[in-house]
Amino acid sequence: MDYARQQRDPTKHLVGVAFVVLMHILVIYALFTGLGKSMFQIIKKPMSATIIEEIKPPPPPPPPPPKKFEPPPPPKVETFVPPPDVPVTTESTGPTITVVKPEPPPPKPAVVEAPPPPPPPKPAVRKGIVRLSGDDPVYPRQAIRAGVEKGQVLARVMIDEKGNVTDVIIVSSQPPKIFDSAVIEALKEWKFKPEGEKYVGEIEINFKLQ
């Protein structure tokens, strides 16, 4: 059903108007029949109103009385009572004893350390030692080419217990370094008389071109 069409229906408006008119008629009838008087009497009855007071909180307790200030008691002062005088008795002293301090012992003489023993003397260099075996040094070709016709070399040989040469030291050579290598090579092959101890021998070798 169309709602807008239903709202425009005149029959519905008539029913509403009739209901309103009927209500007015009933109210007027009640006023004239006495029903209205009873209503007015009910309204005229005195209305009793009770006032509710606000509940107040109890008052706070009174503050405690202030304490009285009592000054502290004065400190006790003790009076000093001097002790009674006691007579001092002097005792008789005996003879005084003197303690003689012992004299300190005389200082010990300084110990002088003995000097270390001197090193053993170096073995004396023997001269004129004779070989048992070995060849003479070869005239070096360097000297021949240089035209050196003669030379001299002084050498020292270190000989062990068995007579073998352990080392050769050139002391001097003329001309220098011309015959040194030839002398060292030859003397290392020499053999000397064994003496059971090491010794040093000195040998002079002369070179001459023939």
Side-chain angles (χ1 to χ4, degrees):
M1 179 183 290
D2 190 359
Y3 182 75
R5 186 177 179 184
Q6 185 180 4
Q7 293 293 329
R8 292 193 300 267
D9 192 358
T11 57
K12 187 175 181 180
H13 291 284
L14 290 176
V15 173
V17 172
F19 179 74
V20 172
V21 172
L22 180 61
M23 289 297 294
H24 283 80
I25 294 172
L26 290 175
V27 171
I28 294 171
Y29 176 76
L31 291 175
F32 283 103
T33 57
L35 181 61
K37 293 180 179 181
S38 61
M39 293 177 62
F40 282 112
Q41 289 178 358
I42 293 171
I43 295 171
K44 288 180 180 180
K45 287 183 180 181
M47 297 177 66
S48 61
T50 58
I51 299 172
I52 301 173
E53 294 182 359
E54 184 181 358
I55 300 173
K56 296 180 179 181
K67 294 182 179 180
K68 293 181 180 181
F69 177 73
E70 296 180 359
K76 294 181 180 181
V77 179
E78 297 181 357
T79 58
F80 176 73
V81 179
D85 295 335
V86 179
V88 180
T89 58
T90 59
E91 297 179 355
S92 60
T93 59
T96 58
I97 301 173
T98 58
V99 179
V100 180
K101 293 183 179 180
E103 294 182 0
K108 295 181 179 180
V111 178
V112 179
E113 295 183 358
K122 294 182 179 179
V125 179
R126 299 184 184 181
K127 296 181 180 181
I129 57 176
V130 180
R131 62 179 170 176
L132 297 180
S133 63
D135 298 330
D136 293 335
V138 178
Y139 202 96
R141 293 181 181 180
Q142 180 183 358
I144 297 172
R145 293 174 184 175
V148 178
E149 296 181 356
K150 62 180 179 178
Q152 184 182 30
V153 176
L154 182 63
R156 289 181 180 177
V157 290
M158 311 299 170
I159 304 170
D160 61 6
E161 298 87 346
K162 297 181 180 180
N164 298 320
V165 177
T166 59
D167 194 10
V168 179
I169 300 174
I170 302 299
V171 177
S172 62
S173 61
Q174 293 295 333
K177 298 183 180 181
I178 297 296
F179 303 98
D180 294 2
S181 299
V183 171
I184 293 174
E185 291 180 4
L187 294 183
K188 283 187 176 181
E189 301 297 329
W190 285 15
K191 180 80 173 179
F192 294 89
K193 180 180 178 181
E195 298 184 2
E197 61 180 2
K198 297 179 181 180
Y199 61 96
V200 179
E202 190 173 81
I203 301 174
E204 182 179 336
I205 299 177
N206 297 311
F207 290 88
K208 187 175 181 181
L209 184 61
Q210 296 178 355

